Amino acid sequence: EGIRDQPRSRGLGDVYKRQVQKAQLEIIRALAFHLDDVLPAVKSQLDFELFDEPILKKLGGLLIKEKKGVELSAVIDHFDDRQEKKLVSEILFDEVYPDDPVQIIQECLATLKGRLIKDQIKTARLKMRELESLGQDTEAIIMEVAELQKQLQDLTMSLDRE
């Protein structure tokens, strides 16, 4: 029996390694354990379309659908796959006690939005190189990149103020 065949007790750190994955996980945990406290403060900012982890995206939608604290075990029943159920139960029953769950959600959302903006900048720069190689005008894309960089800077500055 190899190491891979042995069950793991703490798999969340192994499953969600990237910064954006951890940000998604922290948002879900803050919602799961502090929904009544945090939802009024962050509802207008929450956007699960920023999530690229299907299980966490679905879980977030289920948690806020009720608009009040939900029975966490009932949420698990919305998942069919045994591995998904196991992962969701680890997420929901490994309670963490953050000092300020609203701030954690806001910071994690900023991380996700920042990643999205960086991806848009990268795509725009690639398009700009392509247009340059074809000898076409790149002014519109230069303006787009500048605007995206400003959005990213504003996002970073708003986090520093909090």
Side-chain angles (χ1 to χ4, degrees):
E1 189 175 347
I3 292 175
R4 291 180 188 209
D5 300 328
Q6 295 173 0
R8 293 190 175 156
S9 58
R10 292 264 320 139
L12 294 178
D14 296 327
V15 176
Y16 299 116
K17 292 179 183 168
R18 295 183 356 251
Q19 182 183 15
V20 293
Q21 292 172 317
K22 289 177 182 172
Q24 293 169 55
L25 179 62
E26 291 307 311
I27 290 170
I28 295 302
R29 284 181 158 168
L31 287 173
F33 301 117
H34 308 281
L35 187 71
D36 297 332
D37 300 329
V38 301
L39 193 59
V42 300
K43 186 173 173 77
S44 65
Q45 300 165 6
L46 275 178
D47 180 3
F48 292 112
E49 290 307 309
L50 294 171
F51 283 43
D52 63 358
E53 289 296 325
I55 292 174
L56 297 177
K57 182 186 260 189
K58 179 177 178 179
L59 190 51
L62 291 169
L63 289 171
I64 66 164
K65 192 168 87 174
E66 301 297 319
K67 296 183 184 63
K68 60 184 180 350
V70 292
E71 188 63 42
L72 297 180
S73 57
V75 171
I76 296 169
D77 293 337
H78 287 276
F79 293 86
D80 300 323
D81 182 71
R82 196 171 62 91
Q83 284 296 99
E84 286 181 2
K85 282 182 185 277
K86 183 178 183 286
L87 185 62
V88 170
S89 66
E90 282 184 43
I91 293 167
L92 295 180
F93 294 105
D94 183 17
E95 186 163 359
V96 288
Y97 299 96
D99 293 337
D100 186 351
V102 171
Q103 182 180 357
I104 285 176
I105 289 175
Q106 289 170 336
E107 289 173 358
C108 290
L109 284 171
T111 297
L112 298 178
K113 289 175 186 172
R115 186 232 25 221
L116 183 66
I117 293 170
K118 287 176 185 174
D119 288 349
Q120 291 171 332
I121 290 171
K122 185 190 267 185
T123 302
R125 285 185 173 153
L126 290 172
K127 185 168 175 67
M128 188 167 60
R129 285 190 198 109
E130 185 182 317
L131 289 176
E132 284 173 344
S133 71
L134 297 171
Q136 296 181 359
D137 184 25
T138 58
E139 187 177 344
I141 293 182
I142 291 171
M143 299 298 285
E144 180 185 340
V145 169
E147 177 57 32
L148 288 168
Q149 287 173 329
K150 183 181 179 333
Q151 288 176 20
L152 192 59
Q153 185 179 11
D154 292 347
L155 191 62
T156 308
M157 287 174 63
S158 72
L159 271 183
D160 291 342
R161 281 195 298 270
E162 291 173 4

